[in-house]
């Protein structure tokens, strides 16, 4: 019964794109769709698949993220507090470690990232090392989420962090080698896959709900935004370091050959 | 036979996406937390749920590759070559809008946002009000991605430089942040990250690459990317504006 409701809602979700694709195809381009039965079968698979995914989302992904946030910030788990003392932000260290581990582990093995980094290595002609690039993206993502959890613990406004990150991105965009810029911006999007987004969202909202003095509306969001911004910064940073090393090596070689 | 193979390969990819999450959480449960699960969480439910996620994602992506992507990409290339700016822009908007409405990560985050905003007392705490908020949010984000694709296509046609436009977008975001109600800021920033995942990226990239190949002197790699970069800034602007006008 529940599945039928989800199935119907999902049908409404994919109706616009189906209408747009077939509408433009038949009314504007006026050509028949090639392999029509296969295309229709594809739409049915999308419908069933999305319904299953959304059901699993409610049943597993959201609860898992929320559960971790709740357990790692509960009073029974945290170090004991002296009478009347305020809790220090460093008491939540397991949360930061967890956030970092989730961010790094989901990113480092991401197939689309592996493909992109190999390609970037080829384009750069050896200046960029594919493995180092992947590490740069994973570190950026992990740092972004960890910073996001720390922000929720402290209750600082998200604006400050995003403003700071924007300023860094702008400065680096103006200073980085041109060829790396598209790649850097893309890597921000690569890190937020369909599975990690719900887990991270639930983690942030769960933390904001269980840490005293924080509210989910004011503090719970923003983890995804930071997780997207910091890979841009680390990738451009890595490219700048790689370029600087290249230049230094180029300067050093003629000097060495003269001696 | 081919189909069964690609289905299996897709399932392996979905499992590989899920594995690090399950491993990290499992490690923390067994080694760090070492507490029994609370009554609200049922282990069997979790496992069936994860199974649904893997099956769902596998079928979903397989279906996209079978139906939506080939037709969508064919259309994108046809419109890029057609030469009519009006139809091209209309199609660009429709493509950005329609693909974002069906984006799973956006459905997930919008539903959570509806719940949280209702609990926070900003809208009536009923299921209808929550669903209405989630629906409106998704429509605003979808319209913003549609607009982003239109702006990106105009940029490719005119050959405007990309970074100045993105920096301009950032500045608008910062100005709107000062004016918008604080409760919407987090949701707005997050909605920029969820739009660029499963459906939108391949379709919109196909449009950018098709256009860049059809127009002389454009770089497919650079221009295809530009559309995505806009699609992650524009939602922030639109959702902040939506919060300003009134939720």
């Amino acid at each position: 019964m529940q599945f039928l409701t989800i199935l119907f809602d999902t049908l409404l979700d994919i109706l616009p794109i189906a209408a747009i694709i077939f509408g433009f195809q038949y009314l504007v381009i006026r050509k028949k769709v090639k392999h029509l039965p296969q295309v229709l079968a594809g739409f049915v698979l999308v419908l069933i698949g999305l319904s299953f995914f959304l059901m699993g989302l409610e049943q597993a992904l959201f609860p898992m993220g929320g559960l971790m946030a709740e357990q790692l910030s509960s009073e029974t788990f945290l170090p004991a507090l002296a009478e009347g003392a305020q809790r220090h932000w460093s008491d939540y260290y397991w949360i930061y470690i967890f956030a970092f581990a989730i961010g790094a582990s989901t990113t480092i093995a991401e197939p689309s990232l592996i493909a992109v980094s190999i390609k970037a290595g080829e384009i750069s002609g050896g200046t960029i090392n594919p493995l180092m690039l992947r590490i740069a993206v994973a570190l950026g993502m992990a740092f972004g989420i960890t910073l996001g959890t720390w922000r929720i613990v402290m209750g600082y406004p998200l604006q400050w962090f995003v403003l700071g990150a924007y300023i860094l991105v702008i400065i680096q965009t103006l200073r980085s080698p041109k060829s790396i810029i598209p790649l850097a911006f893309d890597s921000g999007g690569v890190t937020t896959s369909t599975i990690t987004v719900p887990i991270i969202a639930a983690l942030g909202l769960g933390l904001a709900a269980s840490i005293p003095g924080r509210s989910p509306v004011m503090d719970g969001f923003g983890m995804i935004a930071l997780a997207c911004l910091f890979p841009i910064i680390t990738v451009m940073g890595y490219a700048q370091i790689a370029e600087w090393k290249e230049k230094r090596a180029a300067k050093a070689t003629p000097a060495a050959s003269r001696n | 036979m081919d189909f069964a193979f690609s289905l299996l390969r897709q399932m392996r990819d979905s499992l590989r996406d899920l594995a690090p999450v399950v491993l990290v959480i499992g490690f923390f449960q067994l080694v760090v937390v070492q507490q029994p699960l609370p009554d609200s969480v049922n282990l069997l439910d979790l496992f069936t749920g994860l199974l649904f996620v893997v099956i769902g994602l596998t079928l979903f992506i397989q279906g996209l590759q079978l139906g939506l992507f080939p037709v969508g990409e064919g259309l994108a290339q046809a419109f890029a070559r057609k030469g009519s700016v009006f139809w091209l822009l209309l199609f660009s908007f429709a493509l950005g809008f329609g693909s974002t409405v069906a984006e799973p990560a956006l459905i997930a985050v919008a539903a959570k946002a509806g719940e949280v905003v209702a609990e926070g007392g900003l809208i009536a705490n009923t299921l209808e009000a929550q669903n209405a908020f989630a629906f409106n949010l998704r429509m605003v984000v979808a319209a913003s991605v549609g607009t982003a694709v239109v702006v990106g296509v105009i940029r490719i046609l005119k050959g405007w430089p990309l970074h100045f436009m993105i920096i301009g977008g950032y500045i608008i975001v910062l100005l709107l942040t000062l004016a918008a109600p604080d409760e919407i800021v987090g949701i707005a920033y997050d909605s920029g990250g969820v739009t660029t995942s499963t459906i939108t990226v391949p379709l919109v990239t196909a449009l950018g690459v098709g256009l860049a190949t059809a127009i002389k002197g454009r770089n497919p790699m650079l221009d295809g990317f530009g559309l995505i970069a806009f699609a992650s800034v524009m939602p922030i602007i639109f959702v902040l504006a939506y919060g300003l006008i009134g939720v």
Side-chain angles (χ1 to χ4, degrees):
Chain A
M1 193 50 226
Q2 187 209 1
F3 187 70
L4 283 183
T5 336
I6 293 182
L7 202 65
F8 179 72
D9 286 345
T10 311
L11 185 64
L12 295 183
D13 291 333
I14 64 165
L15 213 54
I17 188 71
I20 286 161
I21 293 286
F22 287 110
F24 276 96
Q25 182 82 35
Y26 284 113
L27 299 177
V28 184
I29 296 289
R30 292 175 198 233
K31 267 193 209 146
K32 281 196 180 133
V33 176
K34 283 182 202 152
H35 315 296
L36 189 61
Q38 186 195 323
V39 169
L40 290 178
F43 271 96
V44 173
L45 284 185
V46 165
L47 173 65
I48 298 173
L50 190 53
S51 306
F52 266 110
F53 174 79
L54 293 176
M55 217 160 63
L57 180 81
E58 289 292 333
Q59 221 176 76
L61 292 185
F62 278 155
M64 272 161 62
L67 176 71
M68 290 310 298
E70 203 179 301
Q71 285 181 329
L72 292 178
S73 61
S74 78
E75 288 299 319
T76 49
F77 176 75
L78 292 171
L81 205 55
E83 193 73 30
Q86 286 285 315
R87 196 168 274 297
H88 192 255
W89 62 266
S90 59
D91 282 358
Y92 294 100
Y93 61 93
W94 274 119
I95 290 177
Y96 311 134
I97 298 174
F98 177 72
F100 195 91
I102 280 281
S105 67
T106 52
T107 312
I108 196 89
E110 170 76 34
S112 50
L113 178 61
I114 296 175
V116 166
S117 57
I118 291 172
K119 198 161 185 192
E122 284 166 8
I123 293 173
S124 73
T127 325
I128 290 171
N129 176 339
L131 182 66
M132 288 300 289
L133 185 70
R134 266 163 66 193
I135 293 174
V137 175
L139 280 181
M141 161 77 163
F143 180 76
I145 309 191
T146 312
L147 192 70
T149 53
W150 183 72
R151 182 194 75 83
I152 294 173
V153 169
M154 301 305 287
Y156 291 141
L158 176 65
Q159 291 88 304
W160 298 358
F161 293 82
V162 173
L163 173 70
Y166 274 3
I167 292 175
L168 265 176
V169 169
I170 292 174
I171 293 173
Q172 282 183 309
T173 311
L174 298 174
R175 296 183 57 100
S176 290
K178 283 269 175 304
S179 57
I180 196 79
I181 293 173
L183 186 80
F185 277 88
D186 263 0
S187 59
V190 165
T191 53
T192 50
S193 82
T194 310
I195 285 177
T196 41
V197 162
I199 296 255
I200 297 174
L203 180 70
L205 292 170
L207 271 183
S210 47
I211 290 175
R214 302 289 166 269
S215 88
V217 186
M218 299 298 292
D219 307 295
F221 291 96
M223 304 258 287
I224 300 165
L226 294 175
C228 290
L229 274 172
F230 279 89
I232 307 182
I233 295 171
T234 51
V235 168
M236 288 200 280
Y238 167 62
Q240 281 168 306
I241 293 172
E243 200 190 40
W244 176 73
K245 269 190 175 166
E246 182 94 331
K247 270 190 195 145
R248 207 179 56 164
K251 257 187 214 155
T253 331
S257 58
R258 239 177 282 138
N259 290 333
Chain B
M1 202 53 210
D2 272 357
F3 179 72
F5 262 130
S6 66
L7 203 62
L8 277 178
R9 204 169 42 229
Q10 194 54 60
M11 183 160 249
R12 193 195 60 195
D13 284 354
S14 304
L15 277 172
R16 193 162 50 188
D17 269 0
L18 190 62
V21 174
V22 173
L23 287 178
V24 170
I25 291 182
F27 175 82
F28 267 74
Q29 285 297 335
L30 294 176
V31 179
V32 180
V33 177
Q34 294 185 332
Q35 283 167 15
L37 291 175
D39 295 336
S40 58
V41 181
N42 179 338
L43 203 60
L44 188 71
D45 272 1
L46 277 188
F47 276 112
T48 48
L50 287 178
L51 195 68
F52 286 157
V53 166
V54 170
I55 294 174
L57 211 55
T58 306
L59 294 179
F60 178 69
I61 293 175
Q62 193 67 39
L64 287 178
Q65 282 168 354
L66 215 58
L68 195 58
F69 287 166
V71 184
E73 282 161 15
L75 268 181
Q77 278 160 15
F79 274 104
R81 281 192 308 263
K82 201 174 188 295
S84 153
V85 174
F86 170 77
W87 283 115
L88 176 64
L89 293 183
L90 192 68
F91 175 73
S92 306
F93 183 85
L95 190 74
F97 183 90
S99 58
T100 306
V101 170
E103 197 68 81
L106 178 62
I107 301 178
V109 168
K112 269 281 179 232
E115 250 170 63
V116 167
V117 169
E119 277 161 22
L122 296 169
I123 56 171
N125 201 349
T126 62
L127 202 61
E128 287 96 72
Q130 275 181 31
N131 288 343
F133 178 85
F135 179 80
N136 288 345
L137 183 64
R138 280 171 55 205
M139 290 306 128
V140 170
V141 173
S144 73
V145 175
T147 311
V149 181
V150 169
V151 173
V153 165
I154 296 177
R155 185 195 74 83
I156 297 178
L157 295 177
K158 301 273 184 194
W160 292 333
L162 178 69
H163 18 296
F164 291 115
M165 296 184 71
I166 290 185
I167 293 171
Y170 280 180
I171 291 170
I172 297 176
V173 167
L174 294 174
L175 291 178
L176 278 174
T177 305
L178 294 177
D182 287 343
E183 294 84 6
I184 201 79
V185 169
I187 298 174
Y189 284 155
D190 273 359
S191 55
V194 297
T195 51
T196 51
S197 53
T198 322
I199 310 186
T200 319
V201 171
L203 285 180
V204 167
T205 310
L207 185 67
V209 172
L211 262 183
T213 6
I215 302 173
K216 240 183 159 181
R218 297 286 184 272
N219 177 345
M221 189 185 152
L222 213 67
D223 289 326
F225 133 77
L227 293 179
I228 302 297
F230 284 129
S232 54
V233 178
M234 203 65 93
I236 309 181
I237 296 176
F238 270 53
V239 175
L240 285 174
Y242 173 61
L244 260 180
I245 295 164
V247 174

